[in-house]
Amino acid sequence: MYMRFIFFALAFVIAPAIAVSQDVRTPSHCIALADQIDGATYIQKASYNVEVAPETVRIHYIAHASFLIRTAGGLNMVTDFTGFVGSSPMIPDVVTMNHAHETHWTAFPDPAIPHVLQGWSEEFGQGIDHHVDLGEVLVRNVSTDIRSQWSGVEENGNSIFIFEVAGLCIGHLGHLHHEPSAEQYAAIGRLDVVMAAVDGGMTVDLPTMMRIVSRLKSSIVIPMHWFGDFTLDAFLTGMSDEFQVVEVGGPSLGVSLERLPRRPTIMVLRPEWLREGGE
């Protein structure tokens, strides 16, 4: 059983992204490995394409392992991009991809996308190093291994992508197939928000993912890559002693450094394609 909280829906009408300078980024603490940050428990949910308040990040769960991360300056970043996000005509500024399965990448991204970041190298097992500084946001990655389609191991074939924006560190674990090493944990650093696959076997088993989530000590955990409420509920039940569980009741929420929950919280988002015109 988990708690339900009442959230206040934003009353904004759809409007163009506000003009915020993208030349300055509030410093994050990703590598600080600090303890949990105290903050308010109030987090707003809203349509993905409303104006984003300063020093706030909007996260919208699109589908499977794809999220839209939208900044106050109007940058749109999509994780595990498959080439389709819904009926919205939006062209993301950044997309990240992992190639464990076709539901996490596309071989034909729109050429209009300025930054297409593969989580693997074209040279098998070599890994890849991204450090894309767009002023308002820094996107970087940590390479990890995946199981190959021939049941072997492709070293450094997956990437954990990390977005440093508005003083926050937001991490997407991708199609992670093993617990990170001590060196990889150190490279990841302190994540305020983490998207974690909780399918229970296609990535890592649930006990391993629970251990990873506990080790990361993130203030907000967003489950992804779950196939029905059975696997999701198994993860929530297993983490309920350590984490508060909140059923948001929709696909989106806003996060800011000042409003991180005092107690580590699992925020359950329900996926929804991006629609032309928004909600």
Side-chain angles (χ1 to χ4, degrees), residues 15-53:
I18 55 177
V20 175
S21 172
Q22 297 180 9
D23 296 329
V24 179
R25 179 176 64 255
T26 301
S28 69
H29 50 264
C30 284
I31 307 299
L33 298 177
D35 291 331
Q36 177 187 332
I37 301 170
D38 283 338
T41 58
Y42 179 74
I43 300 175
Q44 294 175 317
K45 69 171 186 175
S47 173
Y48 81 89
N49 57 353
V50 299
E51 290 184 357
V52 180

Side-chain angles (χ1 to χ4, degrees), residues 61 64-65 67 104 172-177 194-214 221-239 243 266-270:
Y61 189 12
H64 200 54
F67 290 85
H104 297 259
H172 186 283
L173 298 184
H175 213 277
L176 186 63
H177 285 175
V194 63
M195 292 86 153
V198 299
D199 54 88
M202 291 189 69
T203 51
V204 298
D205 58 84
L206 278 182
T208 300
M209 183 54 73
M210 291 176 188
R211 187 165 61 248
I212 293 169
V213 169
S214 295
V221 177
I222 302 176
M224 66 174 182
H225 208 257
W226 41 272
F227 303 94
D229 284 354
F230 179 80
T231 53
L232 174 62
D233 289 345
F235 173 75
L236 299 179
T237 299
M239 300 300 295
F243 285 78
I266 298 172
M267 308 291 292
V268 180
L269 300 181
R270 298 289 169 171

Side-chain angles (χ1 to χ4, degrees), residues 210-264:
M210 291 176 188
R211 187 165 61 248
I212 293 169
V213 169
S214 295
R215 170 76 179 265
L216 289 172
K217 300 183 183 300
S218 300
S219 296
I220 296 174
V221 177
I222 302 176
M224 66 174 182
H225 208 257
W226 41 272
F227 303 94
D229 284 354
F230 179 80
T231 53
L232 174 62
D233 289 345
F235 173 75
L236 299 179
T237 299
M239 300 300 295
S240 59
D241 289 341
E242 185 177 354
F243 285 78
Q244 177 172 281
V245 177
V246 173
E247 177 72 58
V248 174
S252 305
L253 56 82
V255 183
S256 68
L257 186 62
E258 293 182 350
R259 294 181 180 272
L260 289 174
R262 292 188 178 92
R263 181 184 175 191

Side-chain angles (χ1 to χ4, degrees), residues 1-19:
M1 179 180 295
Y2 46 87
M3 304 175 63
R4 292 179 179 270
F5 281 65
I6 298 176
F7 292 85
F8 297 94
L10 292 180
F12 299 127
V13 296
I14 297 169
I18 55 177

